[in-house]
């Protein structure tokens, strides 16, 4: 079975210049937790997930670096939680999105897709054809298509 046979063709996505508020709105409206980020040619340039949002709005601890000659403190957060949440909304999505995106070709075998999702511990894979986004495959898609005839 190939990626093109099990992928979801209706892919919610955001453009690389969109604000994070667009991401949050789609997360809430469509009950999803991640989105491919595309350029004007519909090529995947990044991926943003709920984890990226959590890393930004979560508490950042102070870090102390020291040696015999000096000690430096890198301050974690100057902003309160509510301020971090508000300041994230107008921010460009590319500022916090993951730029190293693992994607699969539409002709990729389901066995390889399962291996990638498992080994990389990721939830979804964008599916591309000639570099252009054509679908998305989740862990659930692989499980449904792998076991539906056996149960």
């Amino acid at each position: 079975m190939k990626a093109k046979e099990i992928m979801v063709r209706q892919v919610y996505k955001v453009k690389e210049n969109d604000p994070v508020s667009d991401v949050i709105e789609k997360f809430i409206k469509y009950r999803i937790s991640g989105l491919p980020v595309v350029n004007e040619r519909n090529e995947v340039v990044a991926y943003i997930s709920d984890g990226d949002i959590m890393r930004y709005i979560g508490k950042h601890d102070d870090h102390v670096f020291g040696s015999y000659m000096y000690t430096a403190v890198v301050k974690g957060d100057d902003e309160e939680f509510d301020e971090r949440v508000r300041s994230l909304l107008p921010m460009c999505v590319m500022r916090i999105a993951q730029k190293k995106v693992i994607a699969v070709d539409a002709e990729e075998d389901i066995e390889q897709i399962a291996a990638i999702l498992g080994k990389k511990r990721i939830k979804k894979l964008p599916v591309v054809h000639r570099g252009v986004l054509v679908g998305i495959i989740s862990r659930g898609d692989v499980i449904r298509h792998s076991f539906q005839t056996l149960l």
Side-chain angles (χ1 to χ4, degrees):
M1 191 170 290
K2 305 285 186 190
K4 65 183 178 184
E5 298 172 69
I6 66 170
M7 70 184 186
V8 173
R9 285 174 168 65
Q10 182 182 6
V11 182
Y12 301 111
K13 60 193 173 193
V14 289
K15 293 186 178 144
E16 61 188 335
N17 294 319
D18 286 348
V20 174
S21 60
D22 289 1
V23 172
I24 303 297
E25 286 173 1
K26 288 180 181 179
F27 281 5
I28 294 167
K29 181 176 182 178
Y30 301 114
R31 301 181 62 124
I32 56 176
S33 60
L35 293 165
V37 181
V38 297
N39 63 17
E40 66 282 348
R41 293 179 305 278
N42 207 38
E43 299 164 328
V44 180
V45 296
Y47 195 89
I48 187 161
S49 71
D50 53 0
D52 300 316
I53 305 294
M54 293 301 108
R55 278 186 287 282
Y56 186 86
I57 65 173
K59 178 78 174 145
H60 302 107
D61 296 329
D62 293 346
H63 294 283
V64 179
F65 301 95
S67 70
Y68 295 115
M69 303 296 259
Y70 72 93
T71 300
V73 177
V74 176
K75 186 82 171 135
D77 289 317
D78 289 331
E79 297 176 305
E80 292 296 322
F81 179 77
D82 291 342
E83 292 172 39
R84 285 194 305 277
V85 169
R86 263 188 241 98
S87 70
L88 178 64
L89 294 175
M91 191 179 295
C92 178
V93 68
M94 289 301 287
R95 189 145 165 226
I96 64 168
Q98 299 299 312
K99 284 125 190 119
K100 285 187 176 182
V101 180
I102 300 170
V104 294
D105 188 82
E107 295 294 328
E108 190 65 71
D109 288 320
I110 192 170
E111 183 177 18
Q112 185 63 28
I113 294 165
I116 294 168
L117 289 167
K119 287 178 186 171
K120 298 292 183 178
R121 297 177 186 235
I122 52 180
K123 297 176 186 175
K124 296 177 183 141
L125 285 170
V127 180
V128 296
H129 178 67
R130 295 184 182 156
V132 175
L133 180 67
V134 293
I136 197 154
I137 293 179
S138 70
R139 293 176 185 176
D141 297 326
V142 173
I143 290 171
R144 274 188 295 283
H145 286 86
S146 300
F147 294 97
Q148 69 185 1
T149 60
L150 301 174
L151 298 176

